[in-house]
Amino acid sequence: MSPALRATCLLCLIAATPPLARAQAPSVLDCTGPFARNADERTLARVFGAENVERANIPVGEGNTEPGTAIFAKDPEKRIDILWHDAYARPNVVIIRNGSSWPVAVAGLDKPVANGATLAEIETMNGKPFTLTGFGWDLGGYSNSWDGGRLDKPVGGCNLSLRFDPPKDAPGDALDKVNGDVEFLSTDSAMRQVKPVVVEIELGWPQ
């Protein structure tokens, strides 16, 4: 389906919805409201404005894409990507990529999670060490488990995953030790030396 036809279909879908008052757009994201388990594209349009919501091919790694929805697609600082369950009926994954400034609320924490946060900051927010995958491959740098820490519970009940990337000036000898399809604790000495930062936030609803 061409981009123009996808946009037309979405506009038709929204136009067919009874008029509703536009909701207040959030300043911090979580798994309620527009990203609740039962939210759909109409919900996104009502909250963020139909003109800011469009269907798009969403990158999912290894050069592949999946059909989904982009909010503020032309503004990297505000863009949010959504993949869906059941043909756009329920959110699957909400993605806040590198460069997007949206923070994400976590239950019990005063400070939200945001891109650019350091490994040490995230470990403090979690309240304990956590595991992440090694760098240098397509699924590298992802938090793999919060090990029962506070980040296990983003507001709204979905799952939170973060992706970390090493800075350009990371020491090469330490980086070599934390590359590859291997799990590391955030307390690993080489991982500490690399000092990776958050470059992607994902909120996920399992089936």
Side-chain angles (χ1 to χ4, degrees), residues 90-182:
R90 298 182 295 118
N92 178 359
V93 183
V94 178
I95 307 168
I96 304 155
R97 300 187 190 278
N98 193 24
S100 185
S101 59
W102 289 99
V104 170
V106 176
L109 293 182
D110 295 331
K111 182 180 179 180
V113 175
N115 280 323
T118 67
L119 181 78
E121 288 172 335
I122 295 300
E123 185 179 285
T124 297
M125 295 175 78
N126 193 47
K128 62 186 303 186
F130 61 93
T131 58
L132 66 160
T133 55
F135 305 112
W137 62 298
D138 202 60
L139 296 178
Y142 277 103
S143 58
N144 216 28
S145 171
W146 298 114
D147 297 328
R150 289 187 291 255
L151 296 183
D152 259 334
K153 299 177 180 178
V155 172
C158 65
N159 299 321
L160 171 67
S161 178
L162 304 179
R163 187 170 194 175
F164 294 81
D165 230 9
K168 293 181 179 179
D169 61 352
D173 54 343
L175 186 57
D176 287 343
K177 295 176 182 178
V178 290
N179 273 333
D181 184 6
V182 184

Side-chain angles (χ1 to χ4, degrees), residues 173-194:
D173 54 343
L175 186 57
D176 287 343
K177 295 176 182 178
V178 290
N179 273 333
D181 184 6
V182 184
E183 289 186 354
F184 296 90
L185 272 175
S186 56
T187 52
D188 181 273
S189 59
M191 190 66 74
R192 293 286 202 189
Q193 293 177 56
V194 168

Side-chain angles (χ1 to χ4, degrees), residues 56-96:
N57 291 319
I58 307 300
V60 294
E62 298 184 338
N64 298 318
T65 63
E66 292 184 10
T69 303
I71 305 171
F72 302 113
K74 297 177 178 62
D75 186 344
E77 292 187 2
K78 297 173 66 178
R79 179 165 175 146
I80 306 168
D81 290 341
I82 303 99
L83 298 171
W84 301 89
H85 293 302
D86 303 333
Y88 299 88
R90 298 182 295 118
N92 178 359
V93 183
V94 178
I95 307 168
I96 304 155

